[in-house]
Short mmCIF file of all heavy atoms in Angstrom, two decimals:
data_model
loop_
_atom_site.label_atom_id
_atom_site.label_comp_id
_atom_site.label_asym_id
_atom_site.label_seq_id
_atom_site.Cartn_x
_atom_site.Cartn_y
_atom_site.Cartn_z
N ALA A 877 80.72 -114.84 -57.48
CA ALA A 877 81.04 -113.69 -58.39
C ALA A 877 80.42 -113.98 -59.71
O ALA A 877 80.20 -115.13 -60.05
CB ALA A 877 82.53 -113.56 -58.52
N PRO A 878 80.14 -113.00 -60.52
CA PRO A 878 79.63 -113.31 -61.93
C PRO A 878 80.46 -114.19 -62.71
O PRO A 878 81.77 -114.27 -62.57
CB PRO A 878 79.67 -111.78 -62.41
CG PRO A 878 79.65 -110.92 -61.29
CD PRO A 878 80.46 -111.59 -60.28
N VAL A 879 79.74 -114.84 -63.54
CA VAL A 879 80.40 -115.84 -64.57
C VAL A 879 80.18 -115.34 -66.01
O VAL A 879 79.04 -115.18 -66.33
CB VAL A 879 80.03 -117.23 -64.31
CG1 VAL A 879 80.74 -118.15 -65.37
CG2 VAL A 879 80.32 -117.84 -62.94
N VAL A 880 81.22 -115.12 -66.75
CA VAL A 880 81.00 -114.65 -68.11
C VAL A 880 81.49 -115.89 -69.05
O VAL A 880 82.69 -116.33 -68.84
CB VAL A 880 81.75 -113.41 -68.54
CG1 VAL A 880 81.76 -113.08 -69.96
CG2 VAL A 880 81.22 -112.33 -67.62
N VAL A 881 80.65 -116.31 -69.89
CA VAL A 881 80.97 -117.51 -70.95
C VAL A 881 80.99 -116.87 -72.30
O VAL A 881 79.98 -116.42 -72.75
CB VAL A 881 80.00 -118.69 -70.70
CG1 VAL A 881 80.29 -119.74 -71.65
CG2 VAL A 881 80.01 -119.12 -69.28
N VAL A 882 82.09 -117.11 -73.02
CA VAL A 882 82.31 -116.57 -74.37
C VAL A 882 82.44 -117.88 -75.26
O VAL A 882 83.25 -118.56 -75.18
CB VAL A 882 83.48 -115.65 -74.55
CG1 VAL A 882 83.56 -115.17 -75.86
CG2 VAL A 882 83.37 -114.42 -73.58
N ASN A 883 81.34 -117.93 -76.12
CA ASN A 883 81.46 -118.96 -77.09
C ASN A 883 81.38 -118.44 -78.59
O ASN A 883 80.90 -117.22 -78.73
CB ASN A 883 80.11 -119.94 -76.95
CG ASN A 883 80.24 -120.67 -75.55
OD1 ASN A 883 81.29 -121.05 -75.09
ND2 ASN A 883 79.10 -120.67 -74.96
N GLY A 884 81.71 -119.23 -79.59
CA GLY A 884 81.59 -118.82 -80.95
C GLY A 884 82.66 -119.28 -81.80
O GLY A 884 83.31 -120.37 -81.51
N TYR A 885 82.97 -118.56 -82.88
CA TYR A 885 84.09 -118.92 -83.78
C TYR A 885 84.58 -117.76 -84.61
O TYR A 885 83.89 -116.71 -84.72
CB TYR A 885 83.57 -120.05 -84.75
CG TYR A 885 82.41 -119.69 -85.66
CD1 TYR A 885 82.74 -119.08 -86.93
CD2 TYR A 885 81.21 -119.76 -85.23
CE1 TYR A 885 81.73 -118.84 -87.77
CE2 TYR A 885 80.07 -119.42 -86.09
CZ TYR A 885 80.39 -118.88 -87.46
OH TYR A 885 79.42 -118.49 -88.12
N SER A 886 85.74 -117.94 -85.17
CA SER A 886 86.25 -116.86 -85.98
C SER A 886 86.82 -117.54 -87.30
O SER A 886 87.32 -118.63 -87.24
CB SER A 886 87.48 -116.14 -85.41
OG SER A 886 88.48 -117.03 -85.11
N VAL A 887 86.53 -116.83 -88.47
CA VAL A 887 86.98 -117.35 -89.78
C VAL A 887 87.87 -116.17 -90.39
O VAL A 887 87.34 -115.15 -90.70
CB VAL A 887 85.81 -117.57 -90.75
CG1 VAL A 887 86.34 -118.06 -92.09
CG2 VAL A 887 84.95 -118.73 -90.04
N PHE A 888 89.10 -116.43 -90.42
CA PHE A 888 90.13 -115.45 -91.06
C PHE A 888 89.93 -114.10 -89.98
O PHE A 888 89.98 -112.98 -90.51
CB PHE A 888 89.89 -114.98 -92.39
CG PHE A 888 90.29 -116.01 -93.36
CD1 PHE A 888 89.30 -116.95 -93.90
CD2 PHE A 888 91.58 -116.24 -93.68
CE1 PHE A 888 89.65 -118.01 -94.94
CE2 PHE A 888 91.95 -117.20 -94.62
CZ PHE A 888 91.00 -118.10 -95.23
N GLY A 889 89.67 -114.40 -88.83
CA GLY A 889 89.43 -113.24 -87.96
C GLY A 889 89.96 -113.59 -86.46
O GLY A 889 90.78 -114.35 -86.25
N ASN A 890 89.41 -112.80 -85.46
CA ASN A 890 89.97 -112.93 -84.30
C ASN A 890 88.78 -112.72 -83.27
O ASN A 890 88.12 -111.70 -83.30
CB ASN A 890 91.08 -111.77 -83.93
CG ASN A 890 91.61 -111.85 -82.53
OD1 ASN A 890 92.21 -112.90 -82.06
ND2 ASN A 890 91.34 -110.83 -81.77
N VAL A 891 88.83 -113.60 -82.19
CA VAL A 891 87.96 -113.42 -81.16
C VAL A 891 88.72 -113.63 -79.83
O VAL A 891 89.45 -114.79 -79.72
CB VAL A 891 86.66 -114.64 -81.12
CG1 VAL A 891 85.96 -114.46 -79.89
CG2 VAL A 891 85.85 -114.36 -82.33
N GLU A 892 88.75 -112.69 -78.97
CA GLU A 892 89.59 -112.72 -77.77
C GLU A 892 88.76 -112.25 -76.62
O GLU A 892 88.10 -111.23 -76.53
CB GLU A 892 90.81 -111.81 -77.91
CG GLU A 892 91.84 -111.89 -76.93
CD GLU A 892 93.09 -111.02 -77.28
OE1 GLU A 892 92.95 -109.73 -76.93
OE2 GLU A 892 93.87 -111.45 -77.77
N ALA A 893 88.92 -112.96 -75.46
CA ALA A 893 88.32 -112.50 -74.24
C ALA A 893 89.31 -112.72 -73.12
O ALA A 893 89.98 -113.70 -72.87
CB ALA A 893 87.08 -113.44 -73.90
N LYS A 894 89.47 -111.66 -72.26
CA LYS A 894 90.69 -111.71 -71.27
C LYS A 894 90.26 -110.65 -70.19
O LYS A 894 89.53 -109.65 -70.41
CB LYS A 894 91.94 -111.34 -71.90
CG LYS A 894 92.00 -110.06 -72.57
CD LYS A 894 93.44 -109.72 -73.20
CE LYS A 894 93.52 -108.40 -74.00
NZ LYS A 894 94.86 -108.27 -74.57
N PRO A 895 90.80 -110.80 -69.04
CA PRO A 895 90.62 -109.82 -67.91
C PRO A 895 91.48 -108.53 -68.13
O PRO A 895 92.54 -108.69 -68.85
CB PRO A 895 91.21 -110.50 -66.72
CG PRO A 895 91.97 -111.60 -67.10
CD PRO A 895 91.58 -112.03 -68.47
N LYS A 896 90.97 -107.41 -67.86
CA LYS A 896 91.59 -106.14 -67.93
C LYS A 896 92.41 -105.87 -66.69
O LYS A 896 91.87 -105.74 -65.58
CB LYS A 896 90.66 -105.09 -68.24
CG LYS A 896 91.36 -103.69 -68.68
CD LYS A 896 90.28 -102.79 -69.13
CE LYS A 896 90.88 -101.44 -69.53
NZ LYS A 896 89.92 -100.47 -70.08
N ARG A 897 93.77 -105.72 -66.80
CA ARG A 897 94.59 -105.64 -65.64
C ARG A 897 94.18 -104.48 -64.83
O ARG A 897 94.02 -103.47 -65.28
CB ARG A 897 96.05 -105.47 -65.98
CG ARG A 897 97.04 -105.54 -64.82
CD ARG A 897 98.43 -105.52 -65.41
NE ARG A 897 98.74 -106.57 -66.22
CZ ARG A 897 99.27 -107.77 -65.78
NH1 ARG A 897 99.23 -107.99 -64.57
NH2 ARG A 897 99.48 -108.83 -66.63
N GLY A 898 94.01 -104.70 -63.46
CA GLY A 898 93.79 -103.60 -62.61
C GLY A 898 92.26 -103.28 -62.43
O GLY A 898 91.89 -102.53 -61.44
N LYS A 899 91.49 -103.86 -63.24
CA LYS A 899 90.04 -103.62 -63.13
C LYS A 899 89.36 -104.60 -62.28
O LYS A 899 89.43 -105.80 -62.53
CB LYS A 899 89.30 -103.57 -64.39
CG LYS A 899 89.80 -102.40 -65.37
CD LYS A 899 89.37 -101.02 -64.77
CE LYS A 899 89.64 -99.86 -65.65
NZ LYS A 899 89.06 -98.66 -65.09
N LEU A 900 88.71 -104.07 -61.11
CA LEU A 900 87.93 -105.01 -60.26
C LEU A 900 86.63 -104.46 -59.91
O LEU A 900 86.32 -103.37 -60.10
CB LEU A 900 88.74 -105.07 -58.89
CG LEU A 900 90.18 -105.56 -58.94
CD1 LEU A 900 90.85 -105.35 -57.52
CD2 LEU A 900 90.41 -106.93 -59.45
N ILE A 901 85.77 -105.44 -59.63
CA ILE A 901 84.41 -105.17 -59.10
C ILE A 901 84.56 -105.08 -57.66
O ILE A 901 84.57 -106.13 -57.03
CB ILE A 901 83.33 -106.13 -59.56
CG1 ILE A 901 83.25 -106.22 -61.04
CG2 ILE A 901 82.00 -105.79 -59.03
CD1 ILE A 901 82.24 -107.24 -61.65
#
Side-chain angles (χ1 to χ4, degrees):
V879 177
V880 176
V881 178
V882 180
N883 296 322
Y885 64 92
S886 66
V887 180
F888 290 99
N890 179 65
V891 174
E892 185 177 85
K894 60 183 179 181
K896 190 172 182 179
R897 187 177 299 275
K899 290 293 185 179
L900 303 174
I901 299 178

